[in-house]
Amino acid sequence: WSSDVCSSDLLRHSTQKLTEFQTHIELARQQRRDGYRDLANKTLIRVIESDAPSGFKRVALYELGVYHEADKDLQRAQQIFAQFLKEFPEDSMMPEILLRQGRIYRQMGAYNQAIGKFYTVLSASLNLKVDKLDYYKTLVLYAQTEIADTFAAQRSEEHTSELQSRG
């Protein structure tokens, strides 16, 4: 991902500074692998709040969202992914972020929001680069499956509620 850093951002930073940002991201990954979740999150937040080029901030935001999602801190993950989409609305990762948001909404029991995000993945994938066509096709298939799974989960929850109200 760090190869996506904008050239205008690179001009403003010394090689040493850029290496430092990359090192912080790599450090956060290692901290996460070693089980130091809080420390990894703080390291990524340091990159996000720094004067790092947007490419580094993009990576840090994405990874921070994924970390919170993995830790089942769903509200925080949702906030971070929303921030990602706000700061990088035309990013090639947008469909994947939307897919993640849909899954998070479903886990939270917000089925209508989940389905809305999955449909947004379908429409967003139509407008993206042709050079990643296979990637986007895969995302569309995932989104279609997630829509079906969400409808099934919603029906199952409604059925369970109905049975409990009888009993």
Side-chain angles (χ1 to χ4, degrees):
W1 281 34
S2 49
S3 64
D4 293 339
V5 176
C6 298
S7 59
S8 62
D9 285 339
L10 291 176
L11 296 175
R12 292 186 297 115
H13 292 86
S14 68
T15 304
Q16 179 182 1
K17 232 4 198 170
L18 296 174
T19 301
E20 184 181 316
F21 297 133
Q22 182 63 39
T23 300
H24 276 92
I25 289 172
E26 293 299 328
L27 175 63
R29 290 173 180 158
Q30 186 60 50
Q31 290 166 332
R32 182 73 181 180
R33 283 190 297 270
D34 292 344
Y36 299 108
R37 291 183 175 111
D38 290 340
L39 196 54
N41 291 346
K42 287 177 185 175
T43 302
L44 290 173
I45 289 168
R46 215 171 306 133
V47 173
I48 294 164
E49 293 177 346
S50 74
D51 67 338
S54 61
F56 289 105
K57 290 183 179 191
R58 173 182 170 265
V59 172
L61 262 176
Y62 174 78
E63 292 195 18
L64 188 62
V66 169
Y67 290 172
H68 282 283
E69 182 182 8
D71 290 342
K72 302 294 183 209
D73 186 355
L74 303 179
Q75 289 281 17
R76 184 70 179 126
Q78 197 66 274
Q79 291 170 343
I80 292 165
F81 288 137
Q83 181 181 348
F84 183 101
L85 292 174
K86 181 180 178 189
E87 292 187 27
F88 306 102
E90 303 298 318
D91 195 272
S92 63
M93 291 293 295
M94 183 206 7
E96 182 178 333
I97 301 293
L98 293 167
L99 188 68
R100 287 180 176 279
Q101 285 187 305
R103 288 176 179 159
I104 291 168
Y105 276 131
R106 185 177 59 218
Q107 289 176 47
M108 295 168 69
Y111 298 113
N112 291 334
Q113 289 94 330
I115 290 167
K117 287 291 180 181
F118 296 136
Y119 277 113
T120 305
V121 172
L122 299 178
S123 62
S125 295
L126 297 173
N127 301 322
L128 295 167
K129 296 179 183 174
V130 176
D131 64 329
K132 295 186 176 185
L133 192 58
D134 288 337
Y135 169 70
Y136 296 129
K137 283 181 181 179
T138 301
L139 285 176
V140 165
L141 289 174
Y142 277 127
Q144 290 169 334
T145 302
E146 296 293 348
I147 290 167
D149 290 348
T150 303
F151 278 124
Q154 188 175 23
R155 280 193 302 271
S156 175
E157 188 175 289
E158 288 169 357
H159 180 71
T160 300
S161 294
E162 184 181 313
L163 290 175
Q164 289 175 342
S165 68
R166 291 182 191 171

